[in-house]
Amino acid sequence: MEEQQVGSLHFHIDFSQPLYEQILDQARSAIAKGEIALGDKMPSVRELAQELRINPNTVMRAYQELERDGLTEKRRGQGTYVTSSPEHVASFRTALAARYIDSFMEQMESLGLAWEDIETYIRQKRDTEQGGSDL
Amino acid sequence: MDSAVFRNLVRHEFKGKGSWRKQSRSRISRSWWLAYCLIILIAAIGTMTYFAINEQLQINSIWFVTMGFPYMFFFWGYGSVKREWENDTYGWWLTMPYPRTKLITAKWLGIWLKLLIGIVIVFAVLSVYVLILSLVLPAYSLADVGSFMVAGVDWLTLVAGFSPLIIALGILISIVQNSSLRPISPVLWIVFMGGLSLIFQLPDVVISENMIQQGTEQIRAEWFPYAWELPMVMGISWILTYAVLKFSGYLLENKLEL
Amino acid sequence: MSTNIVECHQITKHYGKKKALDQFEIAIPSGRITGILGPNGCGKSTFFRMLTGLVRPDAGHIEVLGKAPSWQTNQDIAYLPDRARWYPNHTARAALEWGNSFLPGFSMERAIQLTDYMDIDLDAKVGGMSRGQEARIMLILCLARDVQMIVLDEPFTGIDVISRETIVASLIDYLEESEQSVLISTHDIQEVEGLFDYTVMMKEGRAIWTGSTENLRAEYGSLRDVFRKMYMKEWNK
């Protein structure tokens, strides 16, 4: 698996996983993290397909999903742009965070952990990480 | 299929498409090849001219140069199909969206046209050669030239008239070799090669009397020295040609073995 | 349209004693880029030749674009034969003119764009070209056509890396613009496995796995790994 840079986006494509989800996830997080700035032009479907050597239909489907997320918008005849509204990105980030938390909580609950336990684990984790970086 | 497509097919077959086998020979050997041809040609013209100057040339026997034409045309037909396989282009040829009988007929017609043009050129060149001889050498008269040309027309129309069948049989044997009938191809080779020698039996009149003895016995070549059956035989050969092409198309359509 | 472009039922084809196809069953949906994968001699080419009416099955039923294969169905199929060559005396231009005269749906304008993109000199003779350049011209003859179905038999075999990359790149461009169904057979999936959205794995004349490539990835991992595992025996021979 190698990292590929397309415009200001980075992709790691792993051919042993479904491609559509990888492209979608990696593009989403690039936008959420601000790796590609608000209002910037996304690489064209063709460019991305060429660089990653994948079926353009797969890229197209991922782009359609990004548009539904409200993260990008198509401008007629010009291509796809990252939304220029920080609210859209923020609300998407909140929604995504909520989804991650949900799945995290689900897993924790499946271990039979209660709220307090989880809080303790998180605090411990934060302490070791901060301690580590302080050293 | 509209006629424009068919015309293009014939034109495509008419033009040389080349051969990868010959391509792989080096350039040098190709120029040697050319040199050999030139040497043989010069030697032939030289010999003829030498005998002519010594007044020993029976000019009608010059037509013997063309005696190999029927075999040559057979191999043109044979080679035109074989080359599609040799060149690995048969996949393109046979998946063209047209009935395979049409594809075969276009090949056949392309070769026949090429052959007619060839015959006319050979006739013209040899006639001019003999005309020059007659003008330069006192031993030959213009009447000899006329006789020479008549004999040529007699012989070459015979060749041209039977060539449709000859080409078609060449095509057929090549197709048989790529079909499920492959086991019978040795039999066909023997029959066709033997049959081709018939064409030399038929015009006995033309060859033995008009061509050879004429120079000495001063018999003038006559128009149409053949028996009345000949046009009929030729007509039958054309019907056979049609049948052979149809059958070739059928083999390509149904019995191909790739 | 969600019908199948190709359907085979119980197709069997012998060459002498060898079975090229053995009760071969398949249905390929339209509008997809289908990879027909398998080692040499697994029956891929026989299957493609059957689609284009070059060979006929000994037994079984085959339909392409809803009809039995014939010269008529070839009007709607652009086919690159396996191990094909082009006429050595033709120039690139003559090859394109051949396509323009005989292949329905052929666009000369597009073909010339493609030669430009693929860096082919129109006046060069095929006889003097590299295998890779020749392969590019033959691919152009297929990609310059507006037809329902494109069938490419081993388009990446025996050519140089640059030609291979050029061909993959122009295929991607082509796929982006068109809605056609594409069938590509290959025994070497390196660098092209991302192209296929539908996969057929063949072995010894049978289809051993058929389905959406994404499902295959989710189920078994990368095509390359699947390939290696499934055909281990063939490769060790």
Side-chain angles (χ1 to χ4, degrees):
Chain A
M1 194 184 4
E2 51 187 314
E3 179 165 310
Q4 276 164 299
Q5 175 135 19
V6 186
S8 50
L9 295 176
H10 297 268
F11 287 91
H12 295 272
I13 297 297
D14 174 3
F15 281 107
S16 65
Q17 302 292 325
L19 303 180
Y20 164 76
E21 280 155 33
Q22 294 181 61
I23 294 166
L24 185 57
D25 288 348
Q26 293 173 26
R28 273 173 172 166
S29 71
I31 297 170
K33 272 195 279 185
E35 205 178 280
I36 177 166
L38 293 179
D40 270 10
K41 192 172 189 294
M42 293 283 285
S44 70
V45 170
R46 174 179 161 175
E47 230 177 307
L48 200 52
Q50 285 289 9
E51 285 301 319
L52 305 178
R53 290 185 183 280
I54 59 175
N55 191 318
N57 287 332
T58 311
V59 178
M60 200 125 51
R61 280 198 296 138
Y63 270 34
Q64 282 163 355
E65 193 56 34
L66 287 175
E67 221 182 317
R68 264 189 296 257
D69 289 341
L71 290 179
T72 61
E73 53 201 35
K74 237 192 212 147
R75 295 193 197 148
R76 207 183 306 151
Q78 295 183 61
T80 302
Y81 287 77
V82 177
T83 176
S84 45
S85 121
E87 294 84 31
H88 277 173
V89 177
S91 74
F92 176 77
R93 197 191 292 130
T94 314
L96 198 61
R99 265 207 342 249
Y100 288 163
I101 296 273
D102 283 349
S103 74
F104 170 74
M105 290 306 291
E106 234 170 76
Q107 283 171 318
M108 288 298 151
E109 277 159 23
S110 75
L111 292 175
L113 298 175
W115 254 112
E116 300 78 56
D117 304 322
I118 301 172
E119 266 179 350
T120 318
Y121 280 122
I122 293 180
R123 210 166 290 128
Q124 271 175 4
K125 173 91 176 153
R126 193 186 59 194
D127 290 347
T128 52
E129 267 181 14
Q130 279 178 347
S133 60
D134 281 350
L135 279 173
Chain B
M1 172 158 67
D2 60 72
S3 56
V5 171
F6 187 72
R7 254 201 319 278
N8 279 331
L9 270 174
V10 175
R11 190 180 309 143
H12 168 69
E13 298 295 349
F14 183 82
K15 285 189 206 156
K17 292 170 287 183
S19 149
W20 281 110
R21 202 167 46 84
K22 285 181 190 154
Q23 195 83 21
S24 63
R25 292 183 196 151
S26 65
R27 297 264 159 207
I28 301 161
S29 76
R30 263 176 59 183
S31 51
W32 274 108
W33 182 244
L34 208 75
Y36 279 129
C37 288
L38 267 176
I39 288 169
I40 290 170
L41 195 72
I42 290 169
I45 293 173
T47 321
M48 286 196 297
T49 313
Y50 173 79
F51 282 113
I53 292 170
N54 290 298
E55 300 181 8
Q56 285 171 339
L57 181 73
Q58 299 167 359
I59 52 170
N60 275 357
S61 64
I62 291 175
W63 288 121
F64 277 118
V65 171
T66 63
M67 212 44 50
F69 275 15
Y71 284 98
M72 197 169 100
F73 298 152
F74 180 82
F75 282 100
W76 281 9
Y78 176 72
S80 71
V81 174
K82 187 163 183 265
R83 201 162 310 120
E84 299 280 358
W85 263 265
E86 266 179 11
N87 278 346
D88 281 322
T89 47
Y90 62 90
W92 296 106
W93 180 50
L94 292 172
T95 53
M96 288 165 91
Y98 309 104
R100 293 191 184 148
T101 314
K102 285 273 160 57
L103 299 180
I104 269 299
T105 308
K107 251 191 203 315
W108 168 83
L109 191 56
I111 297 167
W112 198 55
L113 292 177
K114 215 186 302 192
L115 169 162
L116 289 183
I117 292 172
I119 283 180
V120 168
I121 290 174
V122 166
F123 179 77
V125 168
L126 289 180
S127 299
V128 167
Y129 174 72
V130 170
L131 182 69
I132 293 172
L133 283 186
S134 78
L135 293 179
V136 176
L137 301 173
Y140 303 104
S141 67
L142 276 180
D144 289 330
V145 179
S147 170
F148 173 82
M149 289 173 73
V150 169
V153 169
D154 286 342
W155 161 243
L156 292 176
T157 42
L158 190 77
V159 172
F162 281 108
S163 60
L165 182 62
I166 294 173
I167 301 166
L169 291 177
I171 287 176
L172 174 68
I173 205 163
S174 203
I175 291 173
V176 164
Q177 284 181 345
N178 290 299
S179 77
S180 54
L181 297 184
R182 193 175 300 136
I184 68 161
S185 72
V187 181
L188 290 184
W189 273 110
I190 294 167
V191 172
F192 291 171
M193 284 293 122
L196 266 183
S197 61
L198 272 182
I199 216 163
F200 301 108
Q201 308 295 314
L202 261 171
D204 246 2
V205 256
V206 146
I207 293 165
S208 56
E209 289 164 29
N210 289 11
M211 275 191 168
I212 297 172
Q213 291 159 20
Q214 193 185 341
T216 46
E217 296 178 11
Q218 296 297 313
I219 303 166
R220 292 286 162 220
E222 48 182 314
W223 291 101
F224 197 77
Y226 310 110
W228 63 271
E229 291 98 336
L230 191 85
M232 217 174 70
V233 174
M234 206 175 270
I236 291 171
S237 87
W238 293 343
I239 296 169
L240 259 176
T241 305
Y242 175 79
V244 169
L245 290 177
K246 272 276 172 205
F247 182 62
S248 300
Y250 164 81
L251 288 182
L252 276 184
E253 204 85 54
N254 299 294
K255 300 286 176 200
L256 208 55
E257 276 202 350
L258 294 178
Chain C
M1 208 171 63
S2 61
T3 49
N4 293 328
I5 41 161
V6 174
E7 282 188 24
C8 289
H9 279 294
Q10 297 285 309
I11 295 281
T12 299
K13 176 75 189 173
H14 293 261
Y15 285 112
K17 278 186 186 151
K18 191 182 177 294
K19 269 187 185 166
L21 291 175
D22 183 10
Q23 308 199 325
F24 181 60
E25 286 281 335
I26 207 166
I28 297 175
S30 74
R32 310 289 284 264
I33 319 305
T34 303
I36 313 278
L37 312 178
N40 285 325
C42 68
K44 299 179 305 250
S45 289
T46 305
F47 169 47
F48 277 10
R49 287 169 171 200
M50 224 168 252
L51 290 180
T52 50
L54 280 174
V55 297
R56 287 165 188 258
D58 296 337
H61 181 74
I62 178 168
E63 268 187 16
V64 55
L65 304 170
K67 292 179 205 120
S70 69
W71 64 266
Q72 284 101 334
T73 49
N74 282 348
Q75 290 173 332
D76 301 313
I77 301 175
Y79 170 55
L80 176 73
D82 69 316
R83 285 172 295 145
R85 305 292 304 269
W86 194 253
Y87 302 105
N89 272 9
H90 275 193
T91 58
R93 193 188 305 277
L96 302 189
E97 271 158 13
W98 182 91
N100 200 28
S101 323
F102 303 125
L103 303 177
F106 191 89
S107 154
M108 196 63 172
E109 193 189 346
R110 200 177 140 63
I112 287 174
Q113 276 172 9
L114 280 167
T115 50
D116 194 39
Y117 178 72
M118 295 211 201
D119 200 20
I120 295 286
D121 174 8
L122 277 174
D123 295 310
K125 255 197 182 182
V126 173
M129 289 180 182
S130 71
R131 279 293 183 110
Q133 288 171 315
E134 191 185 346
R136 293 183 222 177
I137 290 182
M138 294 192 289
L139 190 79
I140 291 171
L141 287 175
C142 295
L143 296 190
R145 288 181 71 185
D146 182 18
V147 285
Q148 288 184 54
M149 185 176 164
I150 305 228
V151 178
L152 307 176
D153 201 351
E154 296 278 5
F156 313 112
T157 306
I159 53 175
D160 57 293
V161 180
I162 309 242
S163 295
R164 189 186 163 105
E165 279 180 357
T166 316
I167 286 177
V168 171
S170 51
L171 262 173
I172 291 176
D173 275 356
Y174 179 79
L175 297 174
E176 198 219 330
E177 291 162 11
S178 74
E179 308 257 294
Q180 280 120 316
S181 314
V182 182
L183 264 63
I184 299 175
S185 84
T186 180
H187 67 277
D188 176 10
I189 49 175
Q190 210 176 344
E191 290 177 51
V192 294
E193 64 170 298
L195 292 185
F196 306 132
D197 56 9
Y198 199 80
T199 298
V200 176
M201 296 256 180
M202 285 185 71
K203 190 178 183 175
E204 289 161 7
R206 289 168 182 258
I208 52 175
W209 197 93
T210 306
S212 135
T213 312
E214 296 280 54
N215 290 346
L216 182 72
R217 287 197 183 98
E219 212 173 315
Y220 299 104
S222 118
L223 289 192
R224 243 166 112 184
D225 298 338
V226 179
F227 210 68
R228 211 170 282 145
K229 265 177 239 149
M230 283 188 178
Y231 305 121
M232 192 62 90
K233 229 169 67 193
E234 275 76 4
W235 276 344
N236 288 339
K237 263 180 198 166

